[in-house]
């Protein structure tokens, strides 16, 4: 299984997060640093979203990162990584951007009647990403464009260490028990989308 039951308490985990942020966010603007320190948080809840396009309605597991101990620092890291997406040629923000890209690339395209556009999906992408390899890929790209990126007062080592901490301390609550996700990136984590896009790039 991809989860491991644990006995950690929310108070103990908050202390751990606060210690990491104190160590890694030394140069961060004091108001921002104070705002990301976890206080009175709770473990993210795991829930399932029905995949209504599939038979028997399997559930997609999501870990709601709202108000978790690492939620606010995950948002900061997401804002750093999101800036890199402009350097990923295959990245499209939305359907409108995709259609505009097709029109720009093929201005005289006359698709025959009945043409069907096809898209592809990676099965179980987030939980399949090897965390260490993903961090290496992300840091390589961040290093390449560092001079053009707002780092929010973090150093390169700080970003790397925070990524490592967030992605290896993904605790969540299911029922009355606390678990830790052992592999991959949790769907529901704020930094997951840009992290996955950069990894696939």
């Amino acid at each position: 299984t991809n989860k491991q039951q644990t006995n950690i308490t929310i108070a103990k985990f908050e202390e751990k997060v606060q210690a990491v942020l104190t160590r890694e966010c030394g140069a961060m603007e004091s108001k921002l640093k104070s705002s990301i320190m976890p206080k009175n948080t709770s473990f993210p809840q795991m829930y399932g979203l029905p995949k209504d396009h599939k038979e028997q309605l399997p559930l997609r597991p999501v870990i709601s990162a709202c108000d978790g101990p690492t939620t606010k620092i995950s948002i900061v890291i997401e804002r750093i990584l999101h800036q890199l997406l402009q350097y990923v040629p295959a990245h499209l923000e939305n359907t409108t951007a995709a259609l505009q890209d097709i029109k720009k690339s093929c201005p005289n395209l006359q698709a025959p009647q009945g043409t069907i556009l096809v898209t592809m999906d990676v099965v179980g992408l987030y939980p399949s990403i090897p965390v260490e390899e993903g961090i290496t890929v992300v840091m390589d790209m961040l290093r390449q464009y560092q001079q053009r990126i707002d780092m929010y007062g973090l150093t390169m080592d700080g970003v790397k260490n925070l990524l490592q901490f967030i992605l290896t301390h993904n605790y969540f609550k299911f029922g009355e028990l606390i678990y830790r996700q052992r592999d991959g990136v949790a769907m529901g984590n704020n930094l997951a989308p840009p992290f996955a896009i950069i990894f696939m790039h």
Side-chain angles (χ1 to χ4, degrees), residues 9 36-37 39 45 55 69-70 87 93 105 118 120-121 127 132 140 145 150-151 162 177 184 186 191 201:
T9 64
I36 63 174
M37 286 290 174
K39 300 177 191 79
Q45 296 277 344
E55 292 182 18
T70 61
Y87 305 113
E93 287 287 340
S105 302
V118 178
M120 289 179 279
D121 185 29
E132 291 299 329
D140 285 347
Y145 296 102
D150 181 355
M151 299 283 286
L162 287 168
L177 300 177
L191 63 81
H201 169 64

Side-chain angles (χ1 to χ4, degrees), residues 12 31 39 42 53 70 79 83 90 118 120 128 132 157:
K12 185 61 75 176
K31 190 174 179 181
K39 300 177 191 79
S42 56
H53 59 290
T70 61
R79 289 181 181 170
Q83 297 170 74
V118 178
M120 289 179 279
S128 301
E132 291 299 329
D157 283 344

Side-chain angles (χ1 to χ4, degrees), residues 2-3 24 33 40 46 56 61 69-70 75 77 89 92 100 142-143 159 163 175 181 184 197:
N2 193 22
K3 64 183 186 299
E24 303 297 345
K33 184 177 176 180
N40 302 314
M46 181 180 175
Q56 300 178 350
T70 61
I75 292 171
I77 300 296
L92 298 167
Q100 289 173 344
L142 188 57
R143 203 168 288 110
V159 172
L163 275 171
Q181 182 170 327
I197 291 165

Side-chain angles (χ1 to χ4, degrees), residues 103-146:
K103 188 174 182 180
K104 183 179 176 182
S105 302
C106 311
N108 300 316
L109 178 65
Q110 294 294 322
Q113 188 172 356
T115 298
I116 299 173
L117 292 176
V118 178
T119 62
M120 289 179 279
D121 185 29
V122 178
V123 177
L125 172 60
Y126 288 11
S128 301
I129 296 174
V131 169
E132 291 299 329
E133 186 179 342
I135 291 173
T136 299
V137 169
V138 166
M139 293 309 298
D140 285 347
M141 189 170 191
L142 188 57
R143 203 168 288 110
Q144 184 179 354
Y145 296 102
Q146 181 182 1

